[in-house]
Amino acid sequence: MGTFEVEKREIISRDEAATRLRRIANLLSGSEEEVNFDRGEMKLKVSIPDEVHWKVELEMDDDESELEIELKW
């Protein structure tokens, strides 16, 4: 299978960002090996192993800051 990528950018409130992060955390902590992601009409089923590579990156400059959380498997 070739590369497949879904990217969505939007402006949301800090509370909504926290809610979405909690939803992702709940999906990861579940007992199911496969996780379902829904993006409108697109539905994806992803197998996630018990161990993943975790990366957190924080970039700050005068104009903006960026927090990037990456999981790889």
Side-chain angles (χ1 to χ4, degrees), residues 4-65:
F4 175 77
E5 184 175 327
V6 176
E7 182 174 320
K8 182 178 182 182
R9 294 175 185 251
E10 60 186 321
I11 296 173
I12 58 174
S13 70
R14 195 170 79 184
D15 284 343
E16 178 61 20
T19 297
R20 292 180 186 190
L21 287 169
R22 278 191 287 277
R23 285 183 193 145
I24 292 170
N26 288 337
L27 288 171
L28 288 172
S29 65
S31 60
E32 299 295 321
E33 183 177 313
E34 291 186 331
V35 176
N36 294 311
F37 288 97
D38 294 335
R39 285 282 172 242
E41 294 185 19
M42 187 183 333
K43 299 192 185 314
L44 302 168
K45 189 177 284 191
V46 180
S47 291
I48 300 177
D50 290 337
E51 292 185 343
V52 297
H53 298 270
W54 169 267
K55 175 184 170 185
V56 176
E57 185 177 327
L58 176 61
E59 295 179 22
M60 296 171 33
D61 62 32
D62 293 336
D63 296 328
E64 69 179 5
S65 300

